[in-house]
């Protein structure tokens, strides 16, 4: 489903670990709500009870990814990881995102299908076309109207993420299956996000997440305002 083919507006925020996208998502939601539009704030995979259960599985089972299979261990394969995230997404689109768009709301989603392409496709090395096929099935072809990509050097981002986890501010636990990956993995993810953005220039706005907070916020504001100016929701 092409951008703009639904009554509401769908904005997604993407980026690697420690990019600050979740902070910017909350700030964007607060600003838009203060200006009047009805906003649905959600995230993946935590946007539904099923998604939260799946996220909890990865947090509990993350250490087992690097262990030899044993009688009491659950080894989450790369394809199983993909299908679990797609299951969470299918439920999320059906129960949260599409209904909000049909109500003419602005949906702000922290991560969506592009994360799966970047993490499971580019990061894990799964076949990109097959990952895209799975994304299309899970979303029913739904595409965001605008995707904000917060780009940052993975080494800097991971240091930020560790610092946030130590201070108790992290939304993602450091013990999950993604947080334990190598720097090389996160570099592949970054390159994946940038490749997706280059292939979809009409949908993506790439933001330098290493800039001062005020500059990042301005970039977010300008991109969101540009989309709203072209819509009938403002």
């Amino acid at each position: 489903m092409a951008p703009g083919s639904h009554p509401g507006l769908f904005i997604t925020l993407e980026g690697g670990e420690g990019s600050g996208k979740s902070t910017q998502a909350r700030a964007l939601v607060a600003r838009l709500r203060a200006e009047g539009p009805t906003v649905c704030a959600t995230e993946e995979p935590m946007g539904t009870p099923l998604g939260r259960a799946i996220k909890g599985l990865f947090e509990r089972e993350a250490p087992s990814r690097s262990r030899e299979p044993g009688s009491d261990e659950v080894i989450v394969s790369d394809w199983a990881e993909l299908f679990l995230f797609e299951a969470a997404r299918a439920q999320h689109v059906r129960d949260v995102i599409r209904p909000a768009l049909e109500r003419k709301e602005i949906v702000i989603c922290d991560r969506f299908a592009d994360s799966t392409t970047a993490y499971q496709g580019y990061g894990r090395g799964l076949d990109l076309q097959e990952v895209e096929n799975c994304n299309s099935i899970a979303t029913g072809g739904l595409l965001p109207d605008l995707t904000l990509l917060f780009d940052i050097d993975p080494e800097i981002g991971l240091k930020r993420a560790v610092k946030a986890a130590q201070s108790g501010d992290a939304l993602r636990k450091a013990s999950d299956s993604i947080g334990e990956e190598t720097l090389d993995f996160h570099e592949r993810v970054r390159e994946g996000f940038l490749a997706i953005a280059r292939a979809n220039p009409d949908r993506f706005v790439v933001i330098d997440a290493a800039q001062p907070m005020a500059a990042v916020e301005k970039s977010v504001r300008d991109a969101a305002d540009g989309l709203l100016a072209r819509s009938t929701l403002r």
Side-chain angles (χ1 to χ4, degrees):
M1 182 180 293
S5 58
H6 36 256
L9 288 177
F10 186 22
I11 301 174
T12 58
L13 292 87
E14 299 284 6
E17 309 306 301
S19 63
K21 63 173 179 51
S22 297
T23 297
Q24 291 301 325
R26 293 192 296 272
L28 178 59
V29 168
R31 183 175 71 84
L32 290 175
R33 284 176 173 167
E35 294 175 356
T38 302
V39 178
C40 171
T42 189
E43 62 179 312
E44 289 205 343
M46 303 280 283
T48 66
L50 175 63
R52 290 190 287 275
I54 288 172
K55 178 64 160 58
L57 171 67
F58 282 109
E59 289 170 350
R60 291 192 301 273
E61 301 298 344
S64 69
R65 288 184 62 88
S66 60
R67 296 178 184 173
E68 291 297 320
S71 59
D72 297 322
E73 294 292 342
V74 177
I75 306 300
V76 181
S77 73
D78 294 343
W79 280 106
E81 180 182 74
L82 172 74
F83 291 137
L84 285 167
F85 281 129
E86 296 292 15
R89 178 165 300 123
Q91 194 81 13
H92 191 209
V93 169
R94 190 196 73 171
D95 292 354
V96 178
I97 297 175
R98 284 195 186 278
L101 291 174
E102 291 301 317
R103 294 192 299 267
K104 298 185 178 181
E105 296 179 10
I106 300 174
V107 177
I108 308 295
C109 189
D110 184 347
R111 294 202 185 282
F112 194 56
D114 294 313
S115 275
T116 296
T117 303
Y119 280 89
Q120 278 69 49
Y122 286 88
R124 300 277 188 228
L126 299 182
D127 182 88
L128 289 173
Q129 187 57 59
E130 292 184 350
V131 171
E132 291 288 357
N133 291 342
C134 290
N135 280 339
S136 181
I137 293 169
T139 64
L142 178 65
L143 290 172
D145 298 291
L146 172 67
T147 297
L148 304 175
L149 173 58
F150 296 85
D151 179 52
I152 193 168
D153 183 319
E155 191 167 4
I156 297 173
L158 289 170
K159 288 179 180 177
R160 281 185 180 181
V162 169
K163 184 177 180 181
Q166 290 172 342
S167 67
D169 293 334
L171 293 179
R172 176 189 294 275
K173 292 186 179 180
S175 61
D176 71 13
S177 61
I178 300 298
E180 291 198 337
E181 289 296 339
T182 64
L183 178 60
D184 182 62
F185 171 86
H186 290 285
E187 288 173 344
R188 293 196 302 273
V189 169
R190 182 195 190 189
E191 289 306 311
F193 273 128
L194 292 173
I196 299 166
R198 287 192 296 270
N200 299 274
D202 294 338
R203 174 164 67 88
F204 270 80
V205 172
V206 180
I207 297 171
D208 180 1
Q211 298 178 97
M213 181 76 73
V216 174
E217 290 177 350
K218 182 179 186 305
S219 296
V220 172
R221 182 170 60 252
D222 290 348
D225 287 350
L227 176 64
L228 285 165
R230 299 189 299 272
S231 80
T232 61
L233 296 185
R234 193 181 219 180

Short mmCIF file of all heavy atoms in Angstrom, two decimals, residues 48-98:
data_model
loop_
_atom_site.label_atom_id
_atom_site.label_comp_id
_atom_site.label_asym_id
_atom_site.label_seq_id
_atom_site.Cartn_x
_atom_site.Cartn_y
_atom_site.Cartn_z
N THR A 48 1.85 -4.23 20.93
CA THR A 48 0.71 -5.06 21.30
C THR A 48 1.14 -6.03 22.39
O THR A 48 2.33 -6.26 22.60
CB THR A 48 0.19 -5.88 20.10
OG1 THR A 48 1.20 -6.82 19.71
CG2 THR A 48 -0.16 -4.98 18.92
N PRO A 49 0.16 -6.67 23.08
CA PRO A 49 0.53 -7.69 24.06
C PRO A 49 1.36 -8.82 23.45
O PRO A 49 2.30 -9.31 24.07
CB PRO A 49 -0.83 -8.19 24.57
CG PRO A 49 -1.73 -7.00 24.42
CD PRO A 49 -1.29 -6.34 23.15
N LEU A 50 1.01 -9.24 22.22
CA LEU A 50 1.79 -10.28 21.56
C LEU A 50 3.22 -9.80 21.34
O LEU A 50 4.19 -10.54 21.59
CB LEU A 50 1.16 -10.66 20.23
CG LEU A 50 1.96 -11.66 19.39
CD1 LEU A 50 2.08 -13.00 20.11
CD2 LEU A 50 1.32 -11.85 18.01
N GLY A 51 3.38 -8.58 20.87
CA GLY A 51 4.72 -8.04 20.63
C GLY A 51 5.54 -7.96 21.90
O GLY A 51 6.74 -8.26 21.90
N ARG A 52 4.89 -7.58 23.00
CA ARG A 52 5.62 -7.50 24.28
C ARG A 52 6.05 -8.88 24.75
O ARG A 52 7.14 -9.06 25.31
CB ARG A 52 4.76 -6.80 25.34
CG ARG A 52 4.58 -5.31 25.05
CD ARG A 52 3.93 -4.58 26.20
NE ARG A 52 2.51 -4.86 26.33
CZ ARG A 52 1.54 -4.25 25.66
NH1 ARG A 52 1.84 -3.32 24.76
NH2 ARG A 52 0.26 -4.54 25.87
N ALA A 53 5.22 -9.88 24.49
CA ALA A 53 5.59 -11.25 24.85
C ALA A 53 6.77 -11.73 24.02
O ALA A 53 7.70 -12.38 24.53
CB ALA A 53 4.39 -12.17 24.66
N ILE A 54 6.77 -11.40 22.74
CA ILE A 54 7.89 -11.79 21.87
C ILE A 54 9.16 -11.07 22.27
O ILE A 54 10.24 -11.68 22.32
CB ILE A 54 7.52 -11.51 20.40
CG1 ILE A 54 6.46 -12.53 19.93
CG2 ILE A 54 8.75 -11.55 19.50
CD1 ILE A 54 5.88 -12.24 18.57
N LYS A 55 9.06 -9.79 22.58
CA LYS A 55 10.24 -9.05 23.03
C LYS A 55 10.79 -9.67 24.31
O LYS A 55 12.01 -9.81 24.48
CB LYS A 55 9.86 -7.58 23.27
CG LYS A 55 10.99 -6.70 23.79
CD LYS A 55 12.11 -6.60 22.78
CE LYS A 55 12.98 -5.37 23.04
NZ LYS A 55 13.57 -5.34 24.36
N GLY A 56 9.91 -10.06 25.23
CA GLY A 56 10.35 -10.70 26.46
C GLY A 56 11.07 -12.00 26.21
O GLY A 56 12.04 -12.34 26.90
N LEU A 57 10.65 -12.74 25.18
CA LEU A 57 11.32 -13.99 24.84
C LEU A 57 12.77 -13.72 24.44
O LEU A 57 13.68 -14.42 24.89
CB LEU A 57 10.59 -14.66 23.67
CG LEU A 57 11.29 -15.87 23.04
CD1 LEU A 57 11.34 -17.02 24.04
CD2 LEU A 57 10.58 -16.30 21.76
N PHE A 58 13.01 -12.69 23.62
CA PHE A 58 14.37 -12.38 23.20
C PHE A 58 15.23 -11.93 24.37
O PHE A 58 16.41 -12.25 24.45
CB PHE A 58 14.36 -11.32 22.10
CG PHE A 58 13.99 -11.86 20.76
CD1 PHE A 58 12.78 -11.55 20.19
CD2 PHE A 58 14.85 -12.72 20.09
CE1 PHE A 58 12.42 -12.07 18.96
CE2 PHE A 58 14.50 -13.25 18.86
CZ PHE A 58 13.28 -12.92 18.29
N GLU A 59 14.64 -11.20 25.29
CA GLU A 59 15.42 -10.75 26.45
C GLU A 59 15.80 -11.93 27.34
O GLU A 59 16.91 -11.99 27.86
CB GLU A 59 14.61 -9.71 27.24
CG GLU A 59 14.52 -8.38 26.50
CD GLU A 59 13.55 -7.43 27.13
OE1 GLU A 59 12.80 -7.85 28.04
OE2 GLU A 59 13.52 -6.26 26.72
N ARG A 60 14.90 -12.88 27.48
CA ARG A 60 15.21 -14.04 28.31
C ARG A 60 16.18 -14.99 27.63
O ARG A 60 17.04 -15.57 28.27
CB ARG A 60 13.91 -14.80 28.66
CG ARG A 60 12.99 -14.07 29.61
CD ARG A 60 11.91 -15.00 30.10
NE ARG A 60 11.13 -15.55 29.01
CZ ARG A 60 10.06 -14.96 28.48
NH1 ARG A 60 9.68 -13.78 28.91
NH2 ARG A 60 9.38 -15.54 27.49
N GLU A 61 16.01 -15.14 26.30
CA GLU A 61 16.76 -16.18 25.60
C GLU A 61 18.01 -15.67 24.89
O GLU A 61 18.73 -16.46 24.28
CB GLU A 61 15.85 -16.85 24.55
CG GLU A 61 14.60 -17.49 25.15
CD GLU A 61 14.92 -18.59 26.14
OE1 GLU A 61 16.06 -19.07 26.15
OE2 GLU A 61 14.03 -18.96 26.91
N ALA A 62 18.30 -14.37 24.99
CA ALA A 62 19.44 -13.83 24.25
C ALA A 62 20.74 -14.59 24.48
O ALA A 62 21.46 -14.89 23.53
CB ALA A 62 19.63 -12.36 24.58
N PRO A 63 21.10 -14.95 25.73
CA PRO A 63 22.38 -15.64 25.92
C PRO A 63 22.47 -16.97 25.16
O PRO A 63 23.55 -17.40 24.78
CB PRO A 63 22.43 -15.87 27.43
CG PRO A 63 21.55 -14.81 28.00
CD PRO A 63 20.45 -14.66 26.99
N SER A 64 21.33 -17.63 24.92
CA SER A 64 21.37 -18.94 24.30
C SER A 64 21.73 -18.90 22.82
O SER A 64 22.05 -19.92 22.24
CB SER A 64 20.00 -19.64 24.45
OG SER A 64 19.03 -18.99 23.66
N ARG A 65 21.72 -17.71 22.20
CA ARG A 65 22.07 -17.62 20.78
C ARG A 65 23.52 -18.04 20.54
O ARG A 65 23.86 -18.51 19.47
CB ARG A 65 21.86 -16.20 20.26
CG ARG A 65 20.41 -15.81 20.10
CD ARG A 65 20.32 -14.42 19.48
NE ARG A 65 20.92 -14.41 18.15
CZ ARG A 65 20.29 -14.70 17.04
NH1 ARG A 65 19.02 -15.04 17.08
NH2 ARG A 65 20.90 -14.66 15.88
N SER A 66 24.37 -17.86 21.53
CA SER A 66 25.79 -18.16 21.34
C SER A 66 26.20 -19.48 22.00
O SER A 66 27.37 -19.78 22.08
CB SER A 66 26.63 -17.01 21.92
OG SER A 66 26.36 -16.86 23.30
N ARG A 67 25.25 -20.25 22.48
CA ARG A 67 25.59 -21.51 23.13
C ARG A 67 25.25 -22.68 22.23
O ARG A 67 24.43 -22.60 21.34
CB ARG A 67 24.80 -21.64 24.44
CG ARG A 67 25.16 -20.59 25.48
CD ARG A 67 24.30 -20.78 26.71
NE ARG A 67 24.55 -19.73 27.70
CZ ARG A 67 23.85 -19.57 28.80
NH1 ARG A 67 22.85 -20.39 29.07
NH2 ARG A 67 24.13 -18.60 29.64
N GLU A 68 25.90 -23.81 22.51
CA GLU A 68 25.55 -25.04 21.81
C GLU A 68 24.18 -25.50 22.27
O GLU A 68 23.82 -25.36 23.44
CB GLU A 68 26.59 -26.13 22.12
CG GLU A 68 27.95 -25.86 21.51
CD GLU A 68 27.90 -25.83 19.99
OE1 GLU A 68 27.18 -26.66 19.41
OE2 GLU A 68 28.56 -24.95 19.41
N PRO A 69 23.38 -26.06 21.34
CA PRO A 69 22.05 -26.54 21.74
C PRO A 69 22.13 -27.56 22.87
O PRO A 69 22.99 -28.44 22.86
CB PRO A 69 21.51 -27.17 20.45
CG PRO A 69 22.27 -26.50 19.34
CD PRO A 69 23.65 -26.24 19.92
N GLY A 70 21.25 -27.42 23.82
CA GLY A 70 21.19 -28.35 24.93
C GLY A 70 19.75 -28.69 25.22
O GLY A 70 18.84 -28.06 24.69
N SER A 71 19.53 -29.62 26.06
CA SER A 71 18.18 -30.10 26.29
C SER A 71 17.27 -29.02 26.86
O SER A 71 16.06 -29.07 26.64
CB SER A 71 18.22 -31.30 27.24
OG SER A 71 18.83 -30.94 28.46
N ASP A 72 17.82 -28.08 27.60
CA ASP A 72 17.00 -27.06 28.25
C ASP A 72 17.13 -25.69 27.60
O ASP A 72 16.59 -24.71 28.11
CB ASP A 72 17.37 -26.93 29.73
CG ASP A 72 17.09 -28.21 30.50
OD1 ASP A 72 16.07 -28.86 30.21
OD2 ASP A 72 17.89 -28.54 31.38
N GLU A 73 17.82 -25.61 26.47
CA GLU A 73 18.07 -24.32 25.83
C GLU A 73 17.17 -24.12 24.61
O GLU A 73 16.88 -25.06 23.89
CB GLU A 73 19.53 -24.21 25.38
CG GLU A 73 20.53 -24.20 26.53
CD GLU A 73 20.44 -22.94 27.36
OE1 GLU A 73 19.87 -21.95 26.89
OE2 GLU A 73 20.94 -22.97 28.50
N VAL A 74 16.72 -22.89 24.43
CA VAL A 74 15.99 -22.51 23.23
C VAL A 74 16.94 -21.72 22.35
O VAL A 74 17.38 -20.63 22.70
CB VAL A 74 14.75 -21.65 23.56
CG1 VAL A 74 14.06 -21.20 22.28
CG2 VAL A 74 13.79 -22.42 24.45
N ILE A 75 17.33 -22.28 21.21
CA ILE A 75 18.23 -21.61 20.29
C ILE A 75 17.39 -20.91 19.24
O ILE A 75 16.71 -21.54 18.43
CB ILE A 75 19.19 -22.61 19.62
CG1 ILE A 75 19.92 -23.44 20.67
CG2 ILE A 75 20.17 -21.87 18.71
CD1 ILE A 75 20.75 -22.63 21.64
N VAL A 76 17.39 -19.58 19.26
CA VAL A 76 16.59 -18.80 18.31
C VAL A 76 17.40 -18.62 17.04
O VAL A 76 18.39 -17.89 17.00
CB VAL A 76 16.21 -17.42 18.91
CG1 VAL A 76 15.37 -16.63 17.91
CG2 VAL A 76 15.45 -17.60 20.22
N SER A 77 16.98 -19.29 15.97
CA SER A 77 17.69 -19.17 14.70
C SER A 77 17.38 -17.81 14.07
O SER A 77 16.44 -17.11 14.46
CB SER A 77 17.26 -20.28 13.75
OG SER A 77 15.94 -20.05 13.26
N ASP A 78 18.18 -17.45 13.07
CA ASP A 78 17.97 -16.16 12.41
C ASP A 78 16.60 -16.08 11.75
O ASP A 78 15.93 -15.06 11.82
CB ASP A 78 19.07 -15.92 11.36
CG ASP A 78 20.44 -15.75 11.99
OD1 ASP A 78 20.50 -15.50 13.21
OD2 ASP A 78 21.45 -15.88 11.27
N TRP A 79 16.18 -17.17 11.10
CA TRP A 79 14.87 -17.17 10.46
C TRP A 79 13.75 -17.16 11.49
O TRP A 79 12.71 -16.51 11.30
CB TRP A 79 14.72 -18.36 9.51
CG TRP A 79 15.39 -18.12 8.20
CD1 TRP A 79 16.56 -18.66 7.76
CD2 TRP A 79 14.95 -17.24 7.16
NE1 TRP A 79 16.88 -18.18 6.52
CE2 TRP A 79 15.90 -17.30 6.12
CE3 TRP A 79 13.85 -16.40 7.01
CZ2 TRP A 79 15.78 -16.57 4.93
CZ3 TRP A 79 13.73 -15.68 5.83
CH2 TRP A 79 14.68 -15.76 4.82
N ALA A 80 13.93 -17.88 12.59
CA ALA A 80 12.92 -17.85 13.64
C ALA A 80 12.78 -16.44 14.21
O ALA A 80 11.66 -15.97 14.48
CB ALA A 80 13.29 -18.84 14.75
N GLU A 81 13.91 -15.76 14.38
CA GLU A 81 13.88 -14.37 14.86
C GLU A 81 13.06 -13.51 13.91
O GLU A 81 12.21 -12.71 14.33
CB GLU A 81 15.31 -13.85 14.97
CG GLU A 81 15.42 -12.42 15.46
CD GLU A 81 16.86 -11.94 15.50
OE1 GLU A 81 17.44 -11.67 14.42
OE2 GLU A 81 17.40 -11.85 16.62
N LEU A 82 13.32 -13.65 12.61
CA LEU A 82 12.58 -12.89 11.61
C LEU A 82 11.09 -13.15 11.72
O LEU A 82 10.27 -12.20 11.77
CB LEU A 82 13.07 -13.26 10.21
CG LEU A 82 12.25 -12.68 9.05
CD1 LEU A 82 12.51 -11.20 8.90
CD2 LEU A 82 12.54 -13.42 7.76
N PHE A 83 10.70 -14.42 11.76
CA PHE A 83 9.27 -14.74 11.76
C PHE A 83 8.58 -14.26 13.04
O PHE A 83 7.41 -13.85 13.01
CB PHE A 83 9.06 -16.24 11.58
CG PHE A 83 9.44 -16.74 10.21
CD1 PHE A 83 10.15 -17.92 10.06
CD2 PHE A 83 9.10 -16.02 9.07
CE1 PHE A 83 10.51 -18.38 8.80
CE2 PHE A 83 9.45 -16.47 7.81
CZ PHE A 83 10.16 -17.67 7.66
N LEU A 84 9.29 -14.29 14.16
CA LEU A 84 8.71 -13.79 15.40
C LEU A 84 8.44 -12.28 15.30
O LEU A 84 7.37 -11.80 15.70
CB LEU A 84 9.63 -14.10 16.58
CG LEU A 84 9.63 -15.56 17.03
CD1 LEU A 84 10.80 -15.83 17.98
CD2 LEU A 84 8.31 -15.91 17.71
N PHE A 85 9.40 -11.54 14.77
CA PHE A 85 9.19 -10.10 14.61
C PHE A 85 8.07 -9.82 13.61
O PHE A 85 7.29 -8.87 13.79
CB PHE A 85 10.49 -9.42 14.18
CG PHE A 85 11.45 -9.17 15.29
CD1 PHE A 85 12.78 -9.57 15.18
CD2 PHE A 85 11.05 -8.54 16.46
CE1 PHE A 85 13.68 -9.35 16.22
CE2 PHE A 85 11.94 -8.32 17.51
CZ PHE A 85 13.26 -8.72 17.38
N GLU A 86 7.98 -10.63 12.55
CA GLU A 86 6.91 -10.41 11.58
C GLU A 86 5.55 -10.74 12.19
O GLU A 86 4.55 -10.08 11.87
CB GLU A 86 7.15 -11.27 10.33
CG GLU A 86 8.41 -10.92 9.55
CD GLU A 86 8.39 -9.56 8.87
OE1 GLU A 86 7.54 -8.72 9.19
OE2 GLU A 86 9.26 -9.35 7.99
N ALA A 87 5.49 -11.74 13.04
CA ALA A 87 4.23 -12.05 13.72
C ALA A 87 3.79 -10.88 14.58
O ALA A 87 2.60 -10.49 14.58
CB ALA A 87 4.40 -13.31 14.58
N ALA A 88 4.74 -10.29 15.32
CA ALA A 88 4.43 -9.12 16.13
C ALA A 88 3.95 -7.98 15.24
O ALA A 88 3.00 -7.26 15.58
CB ALA A 88 5.66 -8.70 16.93
N ARG A 89 4.59 -7.81 14.09
CA ARG A 89 4.22 -6.70 13.18
C ARG A 89 2.83 -6.90 12.60
O ARG A 89 2.05 -5.94 12.50
CB ARG A 89 5.25 -6.59 12.07
CG ARG A 89 4.95 -5.50 11.05
CD ARG A 89 6.14 -5.18 10.19
NE ARG A 89 7.23 -4.72 11.04
CZ ARG A 89 8.44 -5.28 11.09
NH1 ARG A 89 8.74 -6.32 10.33
NH2 ARG A 89 9.37 -4.80 11.89
N ALA A 90 2.51 -8.11 12.18
CA ALA A 90 1.19 -8.37 11.60
C ALA A 90 0.08 -8.02 12.59
O ALA A 90 -0.94 -7.40 12.24
CB ALA A 90 1.08 -9.84 11.18
N GLN A 91 0.28 -8.40 13.85
CA GLN A 91 -0.71 -8.09 14.89
C GLN A 91 -0.77 -6.59 15.13
O GLN A 91 -1.84 -6.01 15.30
CB GLN A 91 -0.32 -8.81 16.18
CG GLN A 91 -1.42 -8.85 17.23
CD GLN A 91 -2.43 -9.95 16.95
OE1 GLN A 91 -2.18 -10.83 16.13
NE2 GLN A 91 -3.56 -9.91 17.61
N HIS A 92 0.39 -5.96 15.13
CA HIS A 92 0.50 -4.52 15.37
C HIS A 92 -0.23 -3.72 14.29
O HIS A 92 -0.98 -2.78 14.59
CB HIS A 92 1.99 -4.15 15.40
CG HIS A 92 2.28 -2.78 15.88
ND1 HIS A 92 3.38 -2.08 15.46
CD2 HIS A 92 1.62 -1.96 16.73
CE1 HIS A 92 3.40 -0.90 16.05
NE2 HIS A 92 2.34 -0.79 16.82
N VAL A 93 -0.01 -4.09 13.03
CA VAL A 93 -0.67 -3.39 11.93
C VAL A 93 -2.18 -3.57 12.02
O VAL A 93 -2.94 -2.60 11.87
CB VAL A 93 -0.14 -3.90 10.58
CG1 VAL A 93 -1.00 -3.39 9.42
CG2 VAL A 93 1.31 -3.45 10.38
N ARG A 94 -2.62 -4.80 12.28
CA ARG A 94 -4.06 -5.06 12.32
C ARG A 94 -4.75 -4.38 13.49
O ARG A 94 -5.83 -3.78 13.34
CB ARG A 94 -4.32 -6.57 12.39
CG ARG A 94 -5.79 -6.94 12.19
CD ARG A 94 -6.10 -8.34 12.65
NE ARG A 94 -6.11 -8.44 14.11
CZ ARG A 94 -6.54 -9.54 14.77
NH1 ARG A 94 -6.93 -10.60 14.08
NH2 ARG A 94 -6.53 -9.57 16.08
N ASP A 95 -4.14 -4.45 14.68
CA ASP A 95 -4.83 -4.00 15.89
C ASP A 95 -4.60 -2.54 16.24
O ASP A 95 -5.42 -1.93 16.93
CB ASP A 95 -4.38 -4.86 17.09
CG ASP A 95 -4.87 -6.29 16.98
OD1 ASP A 95 -5.64 -6.60 16.05
OD2 ASP A 95 -4.47 -7.11 17.82
N VAL A 96 -3.47 -1.97 15.80
CA VAL A 96 -3.12 -0.61 16.23
C VAL A 96 -2.98 0.37 15.07
O VAL A 96 -3.66 1.40 15.03
CB VAL A 96 -1.80 -0.64 17.05
CG1 VAL A 96 -1.41 0.79 17.48
CG2 VAL A 96 -1.94 -1.53 18.27
N ILE A 97 -2.11 0.06 14.12
CA ILE A 97 -1.74 1.05 13.11
C ILE A 97 -2.86 1.33 12.13
O ILE A 97 -3.26 2.49 11.93
CB ILE A 97 -0.45 0.63 12.38
CG1 ILE A 97 0.72 0.56 13.37
CG2 ILE A 97 -0.13 1.62 11.26
CD1 ILE A 97 2.01 0.04 12.78
N ARG A 98 -3.40 0.29 11.49
CA ARG A 98 -4.45 0.53 10.50
C ARG A 98 -5.70 1.18 11.10
O ARG A 98 -6.25 2.13 10.51
CB ARG A 98 -4.82 -0.77 9.79
CG ARG A 98 -3.81 -1.20 8.75
CD ARG A 98 -4.39 -2.28 7.85
NE ARG A 98 -3.41 -2.81 6.92
CZ ARG A 98 -3.06 -2.24 5.78
NH1 ARG A 98 -3.62 -1.09 5.44
NH2 ARG A 98 -2.16 -2.80 4.99
#
